[in-house]
């Protein structure tokens, strides 16, 4: 059974991709991901706040020492020569590319097109095969409109596209009022792929201490339904690579996402739960299912359950909602 797939124009040996997480901070883990059969690895994210913090630190040191002596102009390199920011991140990408044959995807996490756009170019220069843009933006300002939020995404992608040649994937929020239109506009501005969907921070409350708790919960298989819906709708309608994320706990979720039209399924939670070697189990499960169904390749069944390909396209729209309610009578 051939598990190879194409994501962002890159051939992958498996549709199981490791999503951005702390596991990839250790290069030995990336080597284990390769041995376990991962198709690609999205490196842990470089955050806009990290870049701004390092920039501010350099500015403070430079300003506090620039009058110490006449040769102060040579004491620090100019900003043009001094690449502020977490060099460690770029070094991790270089190491991953040098020590594995896996496609390595860099990850930028931010909310503006200032201060971190330049790092898209540095990530490309470090050897990344592609870049995932995670625009983690919660529109808490009640004066912001839906158009404002969409424009922020569009402007960031447009700016990054001008600075790099490698493929760009955008990790989308599920809360756009018109996801299809937003997907099309991102493609028109240079996005090569879409990742559905971002899991936004959702706080909990400690009712005894009256504190907001920054709890992180692993995703559950039940979370696949919303991205499954939109993958099935977008497949074949917007000419971009589609990646699924959220709820990938086993090969079952991977298969469902592929049937909807995804090129790959990204996971991290199940690797924290079951270990990196669980990728091997997932690949084995996909192969067994393909053999049982008579599919020799991923391409043979990818998207067969998408809205474009099923006999009753209304199953993804209001008509099916009515059928569901009627069935409960």
């Amino acid at each position: 059974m051939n598990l190879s797939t194409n994501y962002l124009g890159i051939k992958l040996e498996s549709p199981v991709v490791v999503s951005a997480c702390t596991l990839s901070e250790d290069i030995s883990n990336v080597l284990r991901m390769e041995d376990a059969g991962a198709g690609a690895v999205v490196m842990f994210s470089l955050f806009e706040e990290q870049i701004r913090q390092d920039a501010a630190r350099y500015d403070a040191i430079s300003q506090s020492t620039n009058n110490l002596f006449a040769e102060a102009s040579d004491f620090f390199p100019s900003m043009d020569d001094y690449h502020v920011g977490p060099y460690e991140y770029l070094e991790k990408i270089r190491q991953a590319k040098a020590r594995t044959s896996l496609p390595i995807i860099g990850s930028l996490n931010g909310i503006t097109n200032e201060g971190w756009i330049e790092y898209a170019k540095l990530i490309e220069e470090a050897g990344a095969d592609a870049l995932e843009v995670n625009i983690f933006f919660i529109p808490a300002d009640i004066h912001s409109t839906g158009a404002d939020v969409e424009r922020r995404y569009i402007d960031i992608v447009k700016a990054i596209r001008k600075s790099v040649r490698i493929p760009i994937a955008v990790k989308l929020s599920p809360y756009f009022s018109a996801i299809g239109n937003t997907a099309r506009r991102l493609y028109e501005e240079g996005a090569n792929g879409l990742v559905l969907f971002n899991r936004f921070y959702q706080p909990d409350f400690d009712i005894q201490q009256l504190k907001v708790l920054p709890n992180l919960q692993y995703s559950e298989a039940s979370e696949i339904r919303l991205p499954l819906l939109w993958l099935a709708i977008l497949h074949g309608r917007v000419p971009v690579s589609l990646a699924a994320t959220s709820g990938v706990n086993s090969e079952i979720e991977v298969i469902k996402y592929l049937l909807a039209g995804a090129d790959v399924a990204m996971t991290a939670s199940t690797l924290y739960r079951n270990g990196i070697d669980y990728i091997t189990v997932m690949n084995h499960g996909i192969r067994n299912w393909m053999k049982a169904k008579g599919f020799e390749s991923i391409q043979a069944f990818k998207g067969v359950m998408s809205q474009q390909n099923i006999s009753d396209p209304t199953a993804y729209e209001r008509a099916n909602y009515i059928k569901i309610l009627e069935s409960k009578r």
Side-chain angles (χ1 to χ4, degrees):
M1 303 297 106
N2 182 4
L3 294 191
S4 66
T5 187
N6 188 294
Y7 178 56
L8 300 173
I10 306 166
K11 183 180 179 181
L12 279 57
E13 296 303 318
S14 166
V16 180
V17 172
V18 179
S19 56
C21 65
T22 57
L23 290 173
S24 58
E25 292 179 3
D26 187 338
I27 295 301
S28 66
N29 283 339
V30 179
L31 297 176
R32 290 178 59 197
M33 293 166 190
E34 180 178 38
D35 291 341
V41 174
V42 182
M43 296 296 283
F44 63 101
S45 291
L46 176 60
F47 290 87
E48 178 178 354
E49 289 81 355
Q50 290 175 284
I51 297 170
R52 289 183 179 276
Q53 184 180 46
D54 282 3
R57 184 182 298 116
Y58 169 76
D59 288 343
I61 294 173
S62 178
Q63 292 173 16
S64 64
T65 57
N66 60 9
N67 293 318
L68 286 178
F69 43 82
E71 295 82 8
S73 60
D74 296 325
F75 188 64
F76 283 101
S78 68
M79 284 299 291
D80 289 336
D81 297 325
Y82 193 99
H83 299 290
V84 297
Y87 279 105
E88 295 83 2
Y89 186 83
L90 302 174
E91 184 57 30
K92 294 286 186 183
I93 291 177
R94 294 188 187 98
Q95 291 178 20
K97 287 301 298 179
R99 298 180 61 184
T100 77
S101 58
L102 277 176
I104 299 296
I105 301 171
S107 175
L108 278 174
N109 188 311
I111 59 172
T112 73
N113 58 358
E114 302 165 354
W116 60 289
I117 295 300
E118 63 180 294
Y119 274 82
K121 183 63 176 177
L122 293 176
I123 288 172
E124 178 181 49
E125 292 173 354
D129 297 285
L131 176 65
E132 182 175 286
V133 180
N134 186 345
I135 305 170
F136 196 101
F137 172 59
I138 299 175
D141 182 355
I142 63 172
H143 300 292
S144 295
T145 66
D148 293 335
V149 176
E150 292 174 6
R151 175 49 55 188
R152 185 186 295 254
Y153 276 71
I154 299 298
D155 287 348
I156 288 174
V157 171
K158 188 175 182 179
I160 293 177
R161 181 74 282 166
K162 290 180 179 179
S163 66
V164 300
R165 296 182 179 179
I166 57 176
I168 300 169
V170 183
K171 202 165 189 176
L172 275 183
S173 157
Y175 302 121
F176 289 103
S177 58
I179 291 175
N181 180 264
T182 301
R184 179 185 60 79
R185 292 171 65 197
L186 288 169
Y187 160 71
E188 291 172 351
E189 293 297 345
N192 305 99
L194 301 174
V195 183
L196 280 58
F197 283 116
N198 206 339
R199 295 179 73 226
F200 280 152
Y201 165 57
Q202 297 174 344
D204 196 1
F205 290 169
D206 182 330
I207 64 173
Q208 301 302 328
Q209 300 294 323
L210 301 183
K211 292 182 179 179
V212 177
L213 300 176
N215 292 339
L216 175 64
Q217 291 186 323
Y218 295 146
S219 66
E220 301 291 342
S222 59
E223 296 178 39
I224 76 167
R225 293 194 175 188
L226 184 59
L228 197 68
L229 166 68
W230 280 104
L231 286 163
I233 291 174
L234 293 177
H235 174 73
R237 289 190 166 89
V238 182
V240 292
S241 282
L242 295 173
T245 187
S246 294
V248 180
N249 287 347
S250 69
E251 71 275 5
I252 294 173
E253 293 76 45
V254 177
I255 292 167
K256 287 181 179 180
Y257 277 141
L258 294 172
L259 286 168
D263 298 304
V264 297
M266 298 183 174
T267 186
S269 291
T270 197
L271 305 185
Y272 284 114
R273 286 192 181 105
N274 302 305
I276 293 172
D277 293 340
Y278 192 68
I279 296 171
T280 302
V281 177
M282 296 170 73
N283 282 335
H284 185 66
I286 297 169
R287 287 192 180 94
N288 284 343
W289 178 84
M290 290 171 61
K291 184 176 181 180
K293 294 296 181 183
F295 295 122
E296 295 185 356
S297 68
I298 297 294
Q299 294 302 315
F301 68 90
K302 187 180 76 174
V304 300
M305 296 292 290
S306 67
Q307 187 181 39
Q308 187 180 58
N309 292 325
I310 63 174
S311 57
D312 180 17
T314 63
Y316 290 106
E317 298 175 1
R318 181 176 175 83
N320 205 50
Y321 167 67
I322 297 172
K323 290 178 183 177
I324 292 171
L325 294 181
E326 289 291 328
S327 69
K328 296 300 180 182
R329 285 188 173 183

